[in-house]
Amino acid sequence: MTLLLLFLLRIDDGSCNIAASGGLMIIAVEANDNYGWSNSISIGSPEETLRRFRASMGSDNCNWHSDLDYDQWVALPVAGPRPSARYKHAAAVINEKLYIVGGSRNGRYLSDVQALDLRNLIWSTIKLRTQSGSDSIKDDRLSEVFPSTSGHSMVKWGNKLLLIGGHSKDTSDNVIVRFIDLESHVSGIMEAKGKIPVARGGQSVSLIGSKLIMFGGEDKHRRLLNDVNVLDLETMIWNVAETTLTPPAPRFDHTATVHGDRYLQIFGGCSHSTFFSDLHVLDLETLEWSQPQIQGNIVSPRAGHAGISIDEKWFIVGGGDNKTGALETLVLDMSTLVLSILTTVEKKDPLASEGLTISSALVDGQQFLIAFGGYNGKYNNEVFAMKPKPKDLKHPKIFKSSAAAAAAASVTAAYALAKSEDLTAVDNSKSKVDLSVEIGVIKEEKKVLESSIAWVKAEKSTLKSKLDEVNETHVDLSKELHSVQGQLAAEKSRCANLEAQISELQVLMSSMESVEQKVEALRSQKSESVQRQTSAVSWRWMSP
């Protein structure tokens, strides 16, 4: 038996272009059956070395994105030491690199910064340093460069990553905005003024132009919040948005996005006892809250989910209710508020986790969703990618029901058929062609109507089953209510009897007092009689 050991020396810059970056060198050393080292050494060319190495690994990491199916999650074969498994971290993709910052694991906050090169799928650790001689460092809050933090938010601003809020050992009473310079790897605090909001974690932060919109969260005293705070990144001044109408219930671990640079949308989240599946919209011009009705699929309440918006679509992944993880990957059309299930995963899948992150990445001109981390009974550190189906520019709108969408598709097909027939028809048979086209359109409309009827029947059946379930629950609750009312009546009767007995005992006690007085008087009379008799006997004994 011969053992072949391969020593791979990287002399490039980590990219997939070997020739441009210097290449690789591989050294092979053989060992015999007695594990004695032979002196046969082979050196391969960079191209041949890379080909052999990738063939031995069974995959080509640089082309991981070439064969992905649309709308399906795939675990990526990452290389290098992986970050420790975690949840409630922050993530963002910048220049084809996925940055992971902080998080929590086994009740311990984390402070590391990791980067995954989405070209070659190699992890690396970012070593941060403080900004020496900075006037902004007024205390020791930067003594550990970046403090261990969980439940924070992260956005890209210029060449910096901004980290807002989160729970940590920092004793600050107000929200702190930290930065990480992606070029120099310097970390620091961005000093802010104005109405700085109270420190919190589990909030949502959305970037619109130069303004950060922060909603909700949970402060360090576990007080739930539903306020809206705005930070102008150009002036670093905080302000409170004075909203009107009915705001969402206080919550944390929700997700948020902005549609059309005007509408802030809030989905899901939880309080200390309730999980939500509602959608709230804040008009950032009028500062009015509304709660529109979501069309399409009905989904379970969830918190700790992740969301990212691309064009008109808002992708929502994971989350749960502390008992089970959410298996669906959802997509909400923000212009029509139609919610649909894009795909599902199995139970205990890392994507059915709370506290995971999802980011949008552009690799070789293609759009991808990148998910990382989370907790579903165990902490995860796998990386998943999905290639969302690109927007079909020929169909500008998604209608508000599956039946309407089918109708639109059928009518479009019929129109295309009619137009094609009209272009190829000759003049002397035009009336016949038109008639056949009309018949075709009518047939298509009939199919659409049949589909609509079937959909309505299915909806009716679903609603009827739900109504029956509610009625059964109502009957059970009524029976329980009658039982409780009977028990209360019995207890009330027993209490009345006890009160009557107490009254009788009080009367007896009053009569006992008079009897005791009489007994005491008799005792006094008897004592006086005995004393007189004793005195008479003594006198007779003393007389002669």
Side-chain angles (χ1 to χ4, degrees), residues 412-424:
T412 302
Y415 174 75
L417 177 62
K419 184 176 181 181
S420 175
E421 292 290 342
D422 182 64
L423 290 175
T424 57

Side-chain angles (χ1 to χ4, degrees), residues 263-479:
Y263 301 102
L264 176 68
Q265 300 186 352
I266 307 292
F267 176 75
C270 66
S271 64
H272 295 146
S273 59
T274 304
F275 289 80
F276 304 107
S277 61
D278 50 356
L279 175 70
H280 296 265
V281 178
L282 175 63
D283 188 325
L284 296 174
E285 290 187 4
T286 64
L287 294 182
E288 293 179 347
W289 281 107
S290 62
Q291 187 178 356
Q293 184 67 35
I294 298 177
Q295 307 293 326
N297 294 98
I298 299 175
V299 297
S300 59
R302 64 197 63 198
H305 46 292
I308 190 74
S309 59
I310 301 176
D311 297 326
E312 297 288 309
K313 295 181 179 180
W314 187 12
F315 297 90
I316 298 171
V317 182
D321 58 3
N322 286 341
K323 297 178 182 178
T324 58
L327 309 181
E328 314 93 351
T329 296
L330 308 174
V331 58
L332 177 70
D333 187 293
M334 293 184 289
S335 62
T336 60
L337 300 182
V338 175
L339 183 67
S340 57
I341 297 176
L342 194 61
T343 186
T344 58
V345 298
E346 300 294 330
K347 291 183 178 180
K348 296 300 181 181
D349 190 285
L351 288 165
S353 296
E354 298 180 34
L356 77 169
T357 54
I358 180 173
S359 306
S360 171
L362 196 64
V363 181
D364 282 345
Q366 288 185 307
Q367 196 83 48
F368 296 91
L369 303 180
I370 307 295
F372 174 81
Y375 176 80
N376 61 355
K378 71 173 185 177
Y379 296 94
N380 302 303
N381 63 350
E382 293 188 59
V383 182
F384 291 86
M386 173 190 282
K387 181 166 65 174
K389 190 173 296 183
K391 182 179 179 181
D392 188 357
L393 299 178
K394 295 180 181 179
H395 300 87
K397 293 294 181 182
I398 299 177
F399 290 83
K400 292 189 177 182
S401 71
S402 56
S410 299
V411 171
T412 302
Y415 174 75
L417 177 62
K419 184 176 181 181
S420 175
E421 292 290 342
D422 182 64
L423 290 175
T424 57
V426 294
D427 292 339
N428 58 5
S429 60
K430 183 176 180 181
S431 60
K432 294 182 180 180
V433 173
D434 290 342
L435 182 60
S436 64
V437 168
E438 290 180 5
I439 293 173
V441 171
I442 291 172
K443 287 181 177 179
E444 291 296 333
E445 290 179 350
K446 179 183 177 183
K447 291 180 181 179
V448 170
L449 291 174
E450 289 175 348
S451 175
S452 300
I453 292 171
W455 181 81
V456 170
K457 286 182 178 179
E459 288 291 315
K460 179 181 178 181
S461 177
T462 301
L463 292 174
K464 185 177 183 302
S465 62
K466 291 182 178 180
L467 180 62
D468 292 340
E469 183 180 351
V470 170
N471 288 334
E472 290 178 2
T473 304
H474 176 70
V475 170
D476 293 338
L477 291 176
S478 297
K479 291 180 180 179

